[in-house]
Amino acid sequence: MFLSMQMTGAKGAKHISVYASMGVRRGVSDLLWSFRRKYTLEEFPAYLDDHPFPVLKRVEGEIKANLPTADIVIAPHYLLLQMKHKGLLAKYSPPNAIPSFAQDSSRTWMAIGITSMFPVYSERLNGNIPNSIKEMDGLRSKVGSQAVLTSSAGNLTAYYLCALKRILGEDKWREVLKIVGKIKPATYDCIDHLLQALEAGEKSIALAAYSLAFYRLKEEGAHLQQLKVRELPRLYTFTTAGLLKDAEDSISAHHFLDFLASKEGQAAIGKIWGILPLTG
């Protein structure tokens, strides 16, 4: 989602560009219009995209070409960490009280909501639902996954599998990876395409799915359910916002980040299927 907003204030039009990997789903437009109701906007064009890698690629390409780029990026947490390490983000903390876990000491990113990753199965499996990774091995022709290393859309599945090490311990984690290697899941460039393959009957199990993608399809009536496998628990992460360095002094960009952390902003974020607000 690429947004370019003109905000009118006492000193005339002020421009905000927000690049976000949140896609077209119920609640996103409500979040943006909630902000717009607080500030008069002259223009509000939007380009919607689900995937985080194109966001980073566009930002880096525009910076390299000395073109205007985003003031604010909203994406899965791992992408903002990559941008932090690349030196693309400025420091900012909203005046609103936010949970201590919503920022680190660098103040270069700000969590705005909680998302999750978990395995999914098609209801067409009927009673053949695996309860363990070993049982999943018996259904290997039915298993799909986002490409872990070669996806051009993002690599949330890679981060999910790596995070399991902390949960399972070294030995169990290696055992799980060995079984996944034996299963050799069919790979898809993005999680949306993977879940669409389940709904179409091409596959029956997704090794890991992102809550934003899962609940959007569920809202549309998809016959998908969370798969409860002991070795593949639901893990939580953030949807995170960051201020680009060139926008460090942009009051308009600060206003938008302040809004995301506010009670009103959090209420709007909580209406997006697949995201939990940081605060009640």
Side-chain angles (χ1 to χ4, degrees), residues 14-35:
K14 296 182 180 180
H15 182 268
I16 311 173
S17 292
V18 181
Y19 294 6
S21 172
M22 296 172 74
V24 183
R25 51 182 47 83
R26 188 173 70 178
V28 172
S29 61
D30 292 340
L31 169 66
L32 302 172
W33 281 98
S34 293
F35 174 73

Side-chain angles (χ1 to χ4, degrees), residues 228-277:
K228 297 181 180 180
V229 172
R230 291 188 297 273
E231 302 90 345
L232 302 175
R234 181 189 284 254
L235 299 183
Y236 293 88
T237 184
F238 297 133
T239 289
T240 303
L243 179 69
L244 273 290
K245 278 195 170 179
D246 284 350
E248 186 171 9
D249 298 323
S250 169
I251 300 302
S252 302
H254 295 175
H255 283 160
F256 188 72
L257 290 172
D258 295 347
F259 173 76
L260 294 176
S262 71
K263 183 177 180 179
E264 184 180 358
Q266 284 292 297
I269 288 168
K271 294 178 182 178
I272 302 172
W273 278 40
I275 302 183
L276 296 173

